Every structure is written in structure tokens, then in C-alpha cells.
Amino acid sequence: MGKVYLTGAGPGDLELITVKALRLVREADIIIYDRLANPDILKEAKSGCEFVYVGKEDSHHTLPQEEINEVIYQAALKHERVVRLKGGDPFVFGRGGEEGIYLHQRGIAFEIIPGITSAISVPAYAGIPVTHRGVTASFRVVTGHESDKGESQIPWENFKTDDTIVFLMGLHRLKKITAKLIEIGKPKNHPIAVISRGTTPEEKTVVGTLEDIYAKAKDLPTPALIIVGEVVKLREELSWFES
Ligand code: SAH
């Protein structure tokens, strides 16, 4: 039986992969990956390495998680070094925990290789620090993706504080997110930014207010994240990558 490495690939810039992740990609017998911000990482694999793509190009939907878990498990029965490669960090909305539990229950050894999460690094490339002395002392990373049916899983009432809020997977719900933030009492002119394809040569940041960001940013290409808070204004002096 082999070992599985639940590995973070970083946010996009190839050099933002960890030294450890890069070594494992180079040594892997099989790499199981989905929609990566930078698929060029796969070029680092040794010759003869097998690649398994567990996403569907057209719909951007991945295989059901249960099937992915089984693909990883089966790979570990046949190969010595299995790399399960994920964008950013495997535990930040990456379902790495579910994969680890599945393997644990079947007696497969695994390691977690943390990655640089887009939640922090993409704002950094846009010149937006997630915390800043005198501006905000904390930040939250929240899923923007949820069903319109049933109760919201997002603790909106907690967002009344001046924490920085980073929404991942939320561009398609930008209008709903901004409406909800205004509803809980944030001013209409509260700063917000959308950052598309962060840390890559196509990075584009659009800055606005809760009221006007939807019109300005709704058509940006994915992957994109949303960042809300006074820290967005620091970009005026800290923007370095896009300028
Ligand atoms: N595990 C990943 C996040 C997975 S959820 C991590 O730690 O980064 C996928 C979401 O991450 C996307 O919908 C988008 O909101 C965000 N994202 C990932 N890469 C990004 C990038 N290069 N630029 C902007 N947003 C990105």
C-alpha cells in the first residue's frame, strides 16, 4: 500500500508552491488533481507519472466527493506515492479533511502538505493586507457558495464587526452578498474589492463599494474572490503587482 499526500499547490503563481509540495509532485507516481489555478505545475512530474483529472471541464463541477475519495483510495492500493493536488491549501474549502478521514478509515497512510491559500495571498498580490494595525485586528474566510434554498449557513450577524471578510467561491452570488451586508447594517459605501485570477499574469482587481461593485465586477473571469473591509483602501499605496 502506498501513501497519499494531500497537497496544496498554492494560488496560481508557480513559485508560490512550497518546496515540499514541489518535491512531492516531482516524485509522485500518480497525481490526482482538479481545476488548478496553475496546471503548469504538472509539468514538473517525472516521466511515467500518471495523471487523473477529477473535475469536469464544462460545468466546473467536480466529481461527487465520495467518488474522488474512492479514486484516491484505489490509487493508494496500486501506487507508492500518490499526490492529491489542490489549489491553495487543502484544508481551506478544499475538502482535504474529508479525503483524509476516508483514507484513515481504510488504513491508508497520508500526510497533509499545507499550501499558500488564495484567501490571504491573492489579496496580498492586489496590495490588500487582510489585517492592518489600527484598521482591523482580525479577518474571516467565508464560503460565498451556498444554496438559495433553506436557511443560510453563513453567520451574517457576526459580520457587523469591522473584521475583514474574504469570500471564496462567491462571484456568482456577488449581488446577494452585497445586499446581505447592507441589510445587516454596513454602509452602502463600505469598501469592497473583487480579485480575479490572483497571482497570475491575468490578475485583475476591481475596487468599489457595496452598492456599485456588482455592476463593475460581475463579468470578471474566475477564479475570483471578494474582500470586504477598510483594508481595501490600503491598496492605493500598497498595490505592487498589477501596476
Ligand atoms: N483551497 C483553496 C480554495 C478553494 S475554493 C485555497 O486555499 O485557496 C476555490 C475558490 O478560491 C475560488 O472560487 C476563488 O474564490 C478562490 N481562488 C482560488 N484561486 C484563486 C485565484 N488565483 N484568484 C482569485 N481567487 C482564487
Side-chain angles (χ1 to χ4, degrees):
M1 272 189 308
K3 190 166 188 180
V4 176
Y5 299 88
L6 300 171
T7 307
D13 181 340
L14 270 186
E15 291 187 319
L16 292 182
I17 190 168
T18 64
V19 174
K20 189 166 189 173
L22 183 58
R23 173 173 64 77
L24 290 166
V25 164
R26 287 176 175 155
E27 291 174 358
D29 301 310
I30 180 167
I31 299 176
I32 300 163
Y33 67 102
D34 35 44
R35 217 158 61 99
L36 291 170
N38 195 335
D40 282 349
I41 292 164
L42 301 174
K43 292 181 187 157
E44 294 287 336
K46 68 183 181 194
S47 72
C49 176
E50 230 177 273
F51 297 105
V52 180
Y53 178 70
V54 289
K56 290 185 209 143
E57 299 284 358
D58 50 347
S59 62
H60 295 171
H61 281 143
T62 49
L63 288 184
Q65 188 61 42
E66 187 69 19
E67 277 177 42
I68 296 175
N69 295 346
E70 187 60 23
V71 167
I72 300 168
Y73 170 60
Q74 291 298 332
L77 297 179
K78 276 181 254 147
H79 300 271
E80 207 175 314
R81 271 162 304 193
V82 179
V83 167
R84 168 63 172 127
L85 197 61
K86 295 163 173 291
D89 180 89
F91 279 1
V92 179
F93 298 117
R95 308 193 73 167
E98 291 161 69
E99 294 170 3
I101 289 167
Y102 193 90
L103 296 170
H104 169 77
Q105 290 173 346
R106 283 154 188 81
I108 301 286
F110 61 86
E111 286 186 26
I112 313 293
I113 320 301
I116 295 185
T117 181
S118 62
I120 298 169
S121 58
V122 167
Y125 267 49
I128 303 171
V130 290
T131 69
H132 191 79
R133 195 177 169 85
V135 178
T136 179
S138 69
F139 65 94
R140 300 165 178 273
V141 181
V142 184
T143 175
H145 179 75
E146 60 171 3
S147 159
D148 286 326
K149 292 176 217 115
E151 288 267 298
S152 174
Q153 298 297 301
I154 300 173
W156 293 103
E157 290 300 311
N158 295 350
F159 300 165
K160 286 182 172 166
T161 61
D162 58 11
D163 300 2
T164 302
I165 318 168
V166 176
F167 290 94
L168 300 184
M169 303 175 284
L171 188 62
H172 66 293
R173 301 190 85 248
L174 181 59
K175 199 169 196 169
K176 292 207 171 80
I177 288 168
T178 50
K180 198 74 196 174
L181 292 172
I182 292 169
E183 190 185 309
I184 64 159
K186 298 240 183 241
K188 286 181 177 166
N189 65 355
H190 197 60
I192 180 169
V194 175
I195 312 163
S196 162
R197 299 194 173 162
T199 81
T200 76
E202 296 89 46
E203 176 174 313
K204 185 163 169 42
T205 302
V206 173
V207 173
T209 64
L210 291 181
E211 198 168 31
D212 68 13
I213 193 75
Y214 176 74
K216 287 173 156 181
K218 64 179 189 329
D219 295 324
L220 286 175
T222 58
L225 63 72
I226 302 164
I227 180 164
V228 183
E230 292 295 330
V231 287
V232 168
K233 290 184 183 160
L234 296 166
R235 174 174 156 77
E236 285 165 26
E237 286 172 284
L238 290 176
S239 173
W240 62 277
F241 182 65
E242 285 165 70
S243 52

